[in-house]
Amino acid sequence: MKKASDFIESKKNFFPKRIRLIGKNVESRFGRKPKFAIVSTGRAGSTYTSKLLSQIGLRCGHERFFTPNGFYKSFRYDGDSSWLAVPYLETNRNLCGEVFHQIRHPLDVISSLYGINFFNSANTGNQFYLFCRENFNITGDELISCVKFWTEWNMRCERLASYSYTFENLLRDPSILIDRINGGAFYKEKQEVNIAGKVNARRRVEISLSDIPDCSEKRAMVSLAHHYGYDI
């Protein structure tokens, strides 16, 4: 039998915007904190991970609790996969239960961020850029900002998390994460998972290590990449 929250979620486009906003405020006031959070940089596969966990029985949202506009409780989700969670959890670690850190290859993340012009100073109307500007020291160079962001945000994630893993290993073996969430209590069976759609579909450029000028940010990124097991 479907829960009332499932019905509301499935019919949300039929409710007027004002009604949905009232419902969101009520849910945030009386809802639950997330039992777990998946933290990462942006463009590190967080959407994929939320779909993966939801498919095997964990109701994992994507930027549902931790948003650019604030922290919101929920009745509908058990956890959240959100790069936005980092500053909130640094301020108040009690906002959620377990924290897991997802790492993706630096050149994949940097290529994706640079390809969507994430750190372009003209993005003043983009709520994600504004959130990042408030919580990260953006440099005057778009590419170097991408490099620096990968390094510094991952270091901040690692300090918050009880367990770190790479996205590439998750794709090969989802159990490396699933079995750690509540001791695997939500994992009904070791079924095959099939997530539709491309991972990081908005990637538009291919940044190689040689494209990044020699600088302290590059050296710090390479050092951390080696720490995580990447051979670059």
Side-chain angles (χ1 to χ4, degrees):
M1 183 176 180
K2 284 190 174 182
K3 295 180 180 178
S5 57
D6 292 329
F7 174 78
I8 293 172
E9 177 70 10
S10 67
K11 302 297 183 182
K12 64 182 180 180
N13 291 330
F14 292 95
F15 291 106
K17 185 176 181 180
R18 186 173 180 181
I19 298 297
R20 296 200 306 270
L21 182 60
I22 293 172
K24 183 176 181 179
N25 290 336
V26 170
E27 183 176 28
S28 183
R29 181 175 179 182
F30 298 105
R32 298 181 296 267
K33 296 178 182 178
K35 296 177 181 177
F36 66 89
I38 312 297
V39 296
S40 64
T41 65
R43 314 303 298 148
S46 58
T47 300
Y48 178 94
T49 305
S50 71
K51 290 180 179 180
L52 167 70
L53 295 176
S54 296
Q55 183 169 314
I56 56 87
L58 271 170
R59 293 153 59 84
C60 182
H62 179 246
E63 299 170 4
R64 293 288 187 161
F65 291 88
F66 302 99
T67 81
N69 305 310
F71 172 77
Y72 298 95
K73 297 177 186 177
S74 176
F75 292 121
R76 292 170 286 173
Y77 300 99
D78 299 307
D80 203 15
S81 181
S82 175
W83 69 272
L84 304 163
V86 174
Y88 294 106
L89 294 175
E90 287 174 332
T91 302
N92 183 0
R93 179 57 186 82
N94 293 322
L95 286 177
C96 79
E98 297 174 283
V99 178
F100 303 98
H101 172 208
Q102 181 164 298
I103 308 149
R104 193 174 192 185
H105 195 290
L107 295 180
D108 288 336
V109 173
I110 291 165
S111 295
S112 186
L113 289 170
Y114 190 70
I116 61 173
N117 303 115
F118 185 77
F119 287 108
N120 189 315
S121 59
N123 286 337
T124 53
N126 184 309
Q127 60 181 346
F128 295 99
Y129 171 81
L130 295 176
F131 178 90
C132 198
R133 190 176 68 179
E134 291 176 3
N135 295 285
F136 170 73
N137 186 20
I138 298 173
T139 74
D141 183 288
E142 284 188 57
L143 181 56
I144 300 304
S145 288
C146 294
V147 173
K148 181 183 178 186
F149 178 68
W150 184 87
T151 304
E152 294 187 1
W153 209 263
N154 271 309
M155 291 174 67
R156 291 167 69 176
C157 289
E158 188 173 354
R159 287 193 287 268
L160 291 166
S162 60
Y163 174 64
S164 296
Y165 62 92
T166 68
F167 181 59
E168 293 79 12
N169 284 338
L170 180 71
L171 292 175
R172 287 189 286 268
D173 181 11
S175 69
I176 64 170
L177 174 62
I178 293 167
D179 286 349
R180 287 180 177 267
I181 298 178
N182 274 18
F186 290 112
Y187 200 7
K188 298 176 181 176
E189 58 185 58
K190 303 287 184 180
Q191 73 266 42
E192 289 292 321
V193 291
N194 179 27
I195 308 301
K198 296 180 179 178
V199 177
N200 227 343
R202 287 186 290 171
R203 181 171 173 174
R204 298 168 186 164
V205 298
E206 197 83 33
I207 299 294
S208 68
L209 193 62
S210 61
D211 292 325
I212 305 171
D214 185 43
C215 57
S216 60
E217 290 85 358
K218 178 180 181 178
R219 292 190 291 273
M221 178 269 287
V222 170
S223 177
L224 189 62
H226 289 165
H227 169 69
Y228 292 142
Y230 293 111
D231 184 18
I232 64 172

